[in-house]
Each structure stands twice: as C-alpha cells, then as structure tokens.
Amino acid sequence: MPDDDAVREALRQVDDPEAGMNIVDLGLVYGIDVSEDSVRVEMTMTTAACPMADMIVEAARRVVSELVPDTARVDIELVWDPPWTPDRMTGIAREHFGW
Amino acid sequence: MLGFAGLLAGVGAGLARLGWSMPDIAAQSAGLHGPLVVCGFFGTVISLERAVAIGRPWAYSGPLLAGAGTMLALGGAGLPALGSAAGLAAVAWFLAGLVLLVASLDVLRRQPALFTFTMAAAAACWPLGTALWAAGAAVHEVAGWWMAFLVLTIAGERLELSRFMPPSQAAKLAFGAVLALMLFVLAAGDGPWAGSAFGAGLVLLAAWLLRHDIARRTVRKGGLTRFIAICLLAGYAWLALGGAIVAAAGGLSPGSPAYGAAIHALALGFVFSMVLGHAPIIFPAVLRVAVPYRRWFYLPLALLHLSLLLRLAGDASGAFALSRTGGLLNALALAAFVVGTAAAVAAGARERRAEKEACARQP
C-alpha cells in the first residue's frame, strides 16, 4: 500500500478547472488514512452550492485507485465540517492567486 | 433536454421578432422570446444546477416545472387563446422559481455568507418577476427582475470563487451596498431615476467583479482555465456596457433601440459568455457526460461577441439591417456552441474507448 504522502501526491493531479489549481494546494483535502487494505480520504468543497462535487470526488477516487491493488477499498468522503476557509490554501496556491 | 427546448424555441422566437422567417411554432411564440429564454432556458439550467449541488430529490422538481412551463408555452403558442396558455406557463415557471428559492435558502441556511445570500436574493427575483408577469405586467416591466435573477446568480457564484483571493472587509461591504442598491431600486422604483440607478448598479457590479474575480489571475494559465477566464472578462465588459446603456436610457423602456441593446448586452454578452465558459464543467456535473476542452471552443465565443458588436452597432446607428444580421449571427454562435460541445463530447468518448482498448491489449 502507498503511504499518506504518495496518496497526497496523487491527489495533486486532480484540478479544480475553474481555479486552475489542484485540490491539495487549495486545501480541500482534510485527511488521508491508509490501512492494510483500504485508503480513506476526507475532503470538502469550497461550498455546498458547488455542482462539481461529484465529479471532483470521482476524479480523486480514480487517481487513488491507480495507486492501490485492485482488492483494496478506496473511500472518498465529502465532509462539510469544518467548512473550508481560504486559510487552508498552501503557499503555492496563495502565490497562484497573488496573495 | 427541456432546457434546450426552451433555448431553441426562445432563439427561434427572437429571430422571428427580427423578421427572419421561422417555423410556425417559433413565429407564434415571438411574443414569448424573453420568457422562453429567461424562464424556459436559464430557469431550467440554474434550477438543475442548484438541485445537483444540494442533492435533494425534491429540488429536481424545480427544473421539471421550468421545463413543463416551456412545454405549456409552446403548446399554447399555436392556439388562438395564447393568453391562457402563457398564463399556465407563467404559473409553472413561478412554481419552479419558488423551488429554486427554497433550494437556495437551504444552501444559505447551511452556509450563511454574503455569496449564499446573494444567490438566494437572485433566486427570489425570478418568481417575483414571474408573478408580476403572470398578474398582467408586460415583459419589459419585469425585465429588471429577470435580469437581476441572472446577473446576481452569476455575481453570487463569482463572489464565492473570489474567496481564493479574499476580498477585504471594505470590498465585501461595497459588494453588499451594490446588491442592496439594485434590490432596493427594483422594489421601489418606477421612474427614470430608478432605471438609471439600476443601470449604475450593474456598472458598479461589473467593476467590482472585474477587480476581484480570480479570472484576472487564471487568465494567465492555459487550456480550459484560461478559456473560462476569457469568457468571464469579456462578459464583464458587456455587463458594464449593458448597465451603462440602462443608466443612460433611464431604465429598460420598451420600443427603443436602447432596450434591445441593453438586454442583449446583458443576456448574450454577459450571461451567455458565462454559459459558454462553464459548459465544459457544468455539463459533466449535471448531464454526466465528459466535455473535454478543445481549442475550437473559442470559435463560438468569438462569433458571439463579434455578432453582438454588430447588433449593437446597428441599434446605435438605427441601421436595422445590421441589428437583424447581428441577431442571426448571435443565433448561429449559439448553434456553433451546441455543435462544438457535442463534437467535444463525441471526441472525448472516442478517446476513452481507445484508451480502454489499449489497456485491454496490454499483457
């Protein structure tokens, strides 16, 4: 099984096309939990009014599934608590948006 | 599908108004051009987008009711008693607007913020304008409410995204003040002062969005991200121009070239530009088909903006032939957008099939 960092790196392939930035640097990934036979990712969207949530979750599931054996379970859970705030963005994302 | 029926019928009705020869159903709906485009197309699409976002089954009754309104409007278009059929359509669109409002209030309750409030206020403008229309007001009398529905829905969504480069407290106050001004003059106003104030509100909103939108940053990226940003930035120019025309004309008064120029600058230049930009991300979300970005997406976009320039040049100079040709090219731009999007969907599906076959061949 991959470690947390490998999963995080894989999730960097998933972009929010509107923002032109990946979901990890936008601070949308809250937690990664890798066990012997499963990977669980907790993530959020910037708002519950975002119709793209399902698509982004599916894209995340696809990139994580490529890292793990076929028998392993991949759970991508969408959570709304705590709500996303701009403080969660990494330095890369802040620089991208000209903070 | 119902949304596109609204778009097709609405555009056909618009062309019939410009004197182009159209099939009977579109020609007979000429008087319903505005309602078909605003309620039949945008109402369906925005309600569907909100229903997908909140994921509650009851919210899908919004787009269904809006689509039913379109069918009622078209079904009645061939009947002599157009009034009663349009009346039934208005009731369906009004109910659709109420569902959108409740869905938007649900979002506001879950996430109280200025942007969710803006989206809920925008949603309220739709059933409000539609109720006035159903009660006998002319389309031009409710056009302000309907334009506010579309413009403020987009403004709320852009305000949400502006959190990636958070606006200051003062900037948020300024946004709130513009929103309050627009809603106040819509509710209270019935004279040229109110029309001018509403137009000024649109100009200020355009300036605010241009200053704070992430599009100013994302336009430096490539591919789809840049395409979306260009659609937005061009749209803001039309929002400002449309607002300036409304302000100068003292409101949306019918029968003048300024009316058509302002409405189309706002609805085609701003709102449709936004639709073109977001189709590649919204269609996959609501219709479950991939729309991979293609460089040819710029063609309908360029045609839309150039034909709109032609149309407004005609309106400004009184050359009806120019406006009429511009209007036809506007419709062709929308057709090119639909064809271009469908071609991207087909190309994407072919690529995925080829990838799968390649994977299957690997040992």
Side-chain angles (χ1 to χ4, degrees):
Chain A
M1 292 292 278
D3 61 12
D4 289 12
D5 286 343
V7 172
R8 195 176 305 278
E9 271 316 300
L11 287 169
R12 279 205 160 90
Q13 296 168 49
V14 179
D15 271 350
D16 174 335
E18 175 92 52
M21 177 56 49
N22 69 74
I23 57 173
V24 174
D25 285 312
L26 286 176
L28 297 173
V29 176
Y30 281 180
I32 295 168
D33 184 18
V34 180
S35 71
E36 271 176 23
D37 58 354
S38 72
V39 177
R40 189 163 174 278
V41 175
E42 268 192 4
M43 62 175 294
T44 192
M45 294 288 131
T46 55
T47 166
C50 174
M52 292 196 309
D54 283 357
M55 269 174 63
I56 292 181
V57 166
E58 270 320 300
R61 190 188 312 282
R62 221 169 24 244
V63 297
V64 176
S65 296
E66 281 170 11
L67 284 186
V68 299
D70 288 347
T71 50
R73 214 177 63 236
V74 175
D75 289 322
I76 311 285
E77 196 182 341
L78 201 54
V79 294
W80 300 105
D81 193 31
W84 178 87
T85 61
D87 310 333
R88 294 182 175 274
M89 286 160 50
T90 66
I92 295 169
R94 289 173 192 218
E95 200 177 325
H96 169 67
F97 290 112
W99 279 36
Chain B
M1 287 310 290
L2 287 170
F4 275 97
L7 177 62
L8 193 64
V11 171
L15 289 175
R17 283 168 82 104
L18 287 169
W20 294 104
S21 150
M22 281 286 118
D24 284 353
I25 192 161
Q28 282 154 358
S29 314
L32 292 175
H33 168 58
L36 280 168
V37 172
V38 173
C39 306
F41 176 62
F42 287 120
T44 306
V45 172
I46 294 170
S47 313
L48 181 59
E49 186 190 281
R50 195 77 26 97
V52 169
I54 69 169
R56 305 267 162 93
W58 58 261
Y60 286 88
S61 64
L64 284 173
L65 278 163
T70 306
M71 292 301 122
L72 282 167
L74 293 180
L79 300 173
L82 176 68
S84 62
L88 278 178
V91 171
W93 283 331
F94 169 71
L95 292 174
L98 286 187
V99 174
L100 176 68
L101 176 59
V102 174
S104 307
L105 289 173
D106 184 56
V107 174
L108 176 63
R109 182 186 55 81
R110 279 200 260 173
Q111 192 177 10
L114 182 56
F115 74 89
T116 48
F117 176 79
T118 306
M119 287 156 88
C125 290
W126 182 26
L128 251 167
T130 308
L132 293 171
W133 180 57
V139 169
H140 71 84
E141 290 174 294
V142 303
W145 288 110
W146 283 348
M147 283 299 126
F149 159 49
L150 301 179
V151 168
L152 294 179
T153 295
I154 297 173
E157 289 173 0
R158 299 317 299 177
L159 180 63
E160 196 272 306
L161 282 158
S162 76
R163 293 189 302 158
F164 287 133
M165 37 191 267
S168 65
Q169 205 56 34
K172 280 194 220 162
L173 273 175
F175 184 96
V178 174
L179 177 67
L181 166 77
M182 289 177 63
L183 294 174
F184 174 76
V185 294
L186 274 175
D190 192 24
W193 70 269
S196 294
F198 183 66
L202 291 170
V203 175
L204 291 171
L205 191 63
W208 194 97
L209 290 169
L210 199 55
R211 164 75 182 80
H212 295 282
D213 201 300
I214 58 167
R216 283 177 62 214
R217 293 275 162 190
T218 55
V219 74
R220 296 174 198 170
K221 299 282 278 192
L224 177 60
T225 303
R226 182 192 187 95
F227 175 71
I228 298 173
I230 288 177
C231 288
L232 279 160
L233 296 175
Y236 291 145
W238 286 113
L239 176 61
L241 182 64
I245 298 171
V246 175
L252 291 161
S253 38
S256 67
Y259 179 74
I263 290 278
H264 291 102
L266 296 172
L268 279 169
F270 176 55
V271 184
F272 253 108
S273 195
M274 177 86 180
V275 171
L276 262 57
H278 286 84
I281 53 178
I282 293 300
F283 281 11
V286 299
L287 301 176
R288 309 276 158 194
V289 289
V291 186
Y293 166 76
R294 291 287 184 274
R295 256 186 274 177
W296 71 60
F297 288 171
Y298 280 100
L299 288 175
L301 180 70
L303 185 58
L304 178 75
H305 291 290
L306 292 173
S307 58
L308 196 53
L309 276 176
L310 191 68
R311 180 177 192 153
L312 263 71
D315 290 339
S317 63
F320 181 63
L322 271 188
S323 304
R324 195 165 172 264
T325 308
L328 181 66
L329 293 173
N330 288 158
L332 281 179
L334 299 186
F337 155 65
V338 173
V339 172
T341 305
V345 171
R350 268 200 309 277
E351 276 169 18
R352 272 200 311 282
R353 263 201 311 277
E355 270 171 30
K356 271 188 193 156
E357 280 165 18
C359 289
R361 275 199 302 274
Q362 275 174 8

